[in-house]
Amino acid sequence: RSLATAAPQGPVSFGLTDDQEAVRDLARRFTRENIVPVAAQYDRSMEYPWPVIKAAHGAGLLNTHVPEKYGGAGLSVLECALISEELAYGCTGVQTAIEANGLAEAPLIVAGSDAIKQKYLGRMTEEPLVSAYCVTEPSAGSDVANIRTRAEKKGDKWVINGTKMWITNAGHANWFFVLARTGDAGAKGLSGFVVDGDSVGISLGKKEINMGQRCSDTRMVTFEDVVVPEENMLGSPGDGFKIAMKVFDITRPLVSAAAVGLSQRALEEAVKYAQERKTMGTAIINHQAVAFMLADMAIQTEASRALVWKSAWTKDAGEKNTFYASMAKTLASRTAVENANLAVQIFGGAGFNTEYPVEKLFRDSKIFELYEGTSQIQRMIISRNLSQVYPP
Ligand code: CS8
Ligand code: FAD
C-alpha cells in the first residue's frame, strides 16, 4: 500500500504518527479477517451484517468520533478517514452501515447538550447499537432547505409528522437524528431532534433493494404524531440546517475515504489479475493498453487520497474545510466509479461474473456520486466558495 510511513518531518508531510499507523493497521487487520471473507455472501443474501458490526464494536472501530468523555475513542477526522478507507476496502456496504453511526452521531457532537451526549452517545459506546440520520425526504434530497417534515410545540413536547426517504440503518436504529420544520419556509425554519427508535408513531418501510452496497439497510421512515421531549432538540429552534451542513464537513471526508478504499481494492484486484492472465504469450500487464489503464487507476487513487487527507486535516486544524470536503467527495467518487469500471474491463468476461470480485465493486461504486450530496451539488458548493477562497 502506498501510504508514506515516515514520521512528519516538517510543515508539509504525508507521514502518519505511530498512533495513526496503529489505528490504520488495526482497521486493516480487522477488514482482512472479518469483512473480506464474508463480503460476497452478504452481497448475495442482502442481510444486515450484524455479526461484523458487533465485532467492529468490540475492536473499537464503531463510533470512533465519539469524544472520550462519553466513552468513545475521540479520534480526529483524519484518523476516522484512515479507518473508513480500510473498512471500505473490504466492503463498502458494511462500511456504510458502520459509518452511518458516525453520521447520526455527528449532529449531537456538533450541537448536543452535555445531557443529550451522555444519554445517546454514551449508550452507543457501551453496547453495539446503530443509529440513523434522517434528512432526505421523498420530495427533497439535494434541496435540504425545502424539507416538509414538521415539528410542532405542544406544551413541553415536540410532535413530529412527516416522511423521510433512503435512510441508512433505519431498520435497526436505536435512535434517529431528524431534521424537521419548526418555523417558516427555507433553511432558517429547520431544527434538529434526537428521536428514540421505539417511539410510538414511527413506521418503517421495506428494505430497499439497491444496485450495490446490498447488505446496507436503506428504508423510508414515517413519523406520525411522534412525541419528543423538549430537551431532545439540538441547539435552538432554527439551528437545524446549519447543524446538518456542519455535519457534512465532518462526514464528506469520510465518505470520500470510503470511495478511496473501493478504488484501492479495484486497483489491487486488477493488478493481480493482469499479472496472472496471459494472452498472446505474455501476461496482460505487459500489453501497454492494459498497463496504462492500471497507471490511470493508480494516479486517480493517489490523488483522491491526498485530497481526502487534506479535507480531513483542514477540519482537524480547526479551519473551514467545506471547499476541500466537496472536492474530495467529487474526485474520490468519480475515481471509484472509473476504477471499478476499468477493473471490470481488465478482467474481461470474468469481470462481468459474480465469481470474481470486481462486478460487486462496479455496482457498489455508483452510490458514491449520489449520497452525502450528489456530484452536481458538490460542484455547486465548490463554485460558491471560489470567491471566498480566491478573493477578487
Ligand atoms: O442543501 C445543501 C446540501 O448540501 N444539499 C445536499 C444534501 C446532502 O448532502 N444530503 C445527504 C443526506 S445524508 C446521506 O446521504 C447519507 S449517505 C449514507 C451514510 C454514509 C456513511 C456516512 C446545499 C444545496 C449545498 C445548500 O444550499 P442552499 O439551500 O442554497 O443553502 P445555502 O444558502 O448554501 O446555506 C444556507 C445557510 O447555511 C449556511 N451554511 C451552508 N453550508 C454551511 C456549512 N457550515 C456552516 N454553515 C453553512 N458547511 C450558509 O452560510 C447559510 O447561512 P446564512 O446565515 O443564511 O448566510
Ligand atoms: P434530487 O435532489 O432529486 O436530484 C436529482 C438529480 O438532479 C441529481 O442528479 C442531482 O445532482 C441533480 N440536481 C438537483 N438539484 C440540482 C441543482 N440545484 N443543480 C444541479 N443539479 C441538481 N439521506 C439521508 O438523509 N440519510 C441517509 O442515511 C441516506 N442514505 C442513503 C443511502 C442510499 C443507498 C441512497 C440511495 C440515498 C441515501 N440518502 C440518505 C439520500 C441521498 O443523500 C439523496 O438521494 C441525495 O442527496 C440526492 O437527493 P435526491 O435523491 O432527492 O435527488
Side-chain angles (χ1 to χ4, degrees), residues 41-96:
Q41 169 207 319
Y42 277 114
D43 179 53
R44 272 194 298 275
S45 71
M46 291 191 266
E47 273 172 53
Y48 191 69
W50 264 122
V52 184
I53 288 175
K54 287 179 181 163
H57 188 271
L61 294 169
L62 207 62
N63 314 310
T64 49
H65 322 230
V66 171
E68 285 171 295
K69 185 174 175 196
Y70 308 105
L75 298 186
S76 65
V77 181
L78 180 59
E79 287 155 352
C80 292
L82 298 173
I83 294 172
S84 283
E85 181 184 332
E86 295 302 328
L87 299 180
Y89 179 95
C91 174
T92 53
V94 171
Q95 187 276 337
T96 291

Side-chain angles (χ1 to χ4, degrees), residues 68-303:
E68 285 171 295
K69 185 174 175 196
Y70 308 105
L75 298 186
S76 65
V77 181
L78 180 59
E79 287 155 352
C80 292
L82 298 173
I83 294 172
S84 283
E85 181 184 332
E86 295 302 328
L87 299 180
Y89 179 95
C91 174
T92 53
V94 171
Q95 187 276 337
T96 291
I98 288 176
E99 193 45 46
N101 257 22
L103 172 64
E105 289 160 355
L108 283 70
I109 294 169
V110 164
S113 65
D114 192 51
I116 282 281
K117 288 179 186 160
Q118 203 77 55
K119 182 170 175 189
Y120 290 97
L121 298 180
R123 72 169 74 153
M124 305 302 282
T125 62
E126 282 157 17
E127 50 180 324
L129 299 172
V130 296
S131 49
Y133 178 89
C134 303
V135 167
T136 304
E137 300 187 351
S139 62
S142 301
D143 192 5
V144 175
N146 271 316
I147 64 166
R148 295 180 184 170
T149 295
R150 285 208 74 89
E152 280 180 75
K153 192 78 188 286
K154 296 212 169 135
D156 61 351
K157 311 268 190 233
W158 288 95
V159 180
I160 300 183
N161 279 286
T163 301
K164 297 292 179 178
M165 190 59 201
W166 310 120
I167 304 306
T168 302
N169 278 354
H172 304 272
N174 181 267
W175 53 267
F176 299 92
F177 166 75
V178 180
L179 192 66
R181 185 163 304 287
T182 52
D184 296 341
K188 289 187 168 54
L190 300 176
S191 304
F193 299 88
V194 183
V195 180
D196 280 298
D198 59 2
S199 305
V200 176
I202 296 180
S203 49
L204 302 174
K206 66 174 172 46
K207 175 184 156 87
E208 298 295 336
I209 299 174
N210 294 325
M211 176 195 290
Q213 302 201 348
R214 293 185 133 199
C215 69
S216 173
D217 186 273
T218 322
R219 292 174 198 254
M220 179 185 275
V221 187
T222 303
F223 298 85
E224 208 177 334
D225 290 332
V226 175
V227 178
V228 178
E230 195 173 37
E231 62 271 19
N232 278 29
M233 177 185 275
L234 301 178
S236 304
D239 286 353
F241 184 87
K242 285 190 185 176
I243 293 171
M245 295 302 127
K246 285 178 185 165
V247 163
F248 294 143
D249 290 345
I250 298 168
T251 54
R252 283 181 181 147
L254 305 181
V255 172
S256 312
V260 174
L262 191 152
S263 297
Q264 182 73 37
R265 179 73 182 272
L267 171 61
E268 289 183 23
E269 294 291 351
V271 168
K272 189 156 59 117
Y273 189 80
Q275 287 162 339
E276 288 164 4
R277 178 75 178 170
K278 289 196 172 66
T279 69
M280 287 76 178
T282 186
I284 60 171
I285 197 168
N286 297 320
H287 300 306
Q288 195 180 59
V290 173
F292 280 15
M293 281 194 266
L294 292 167
D296 283 339
M297 291 167 78
I299 294 166
Q300 296 303 323
T301 305
E302 287 288 344

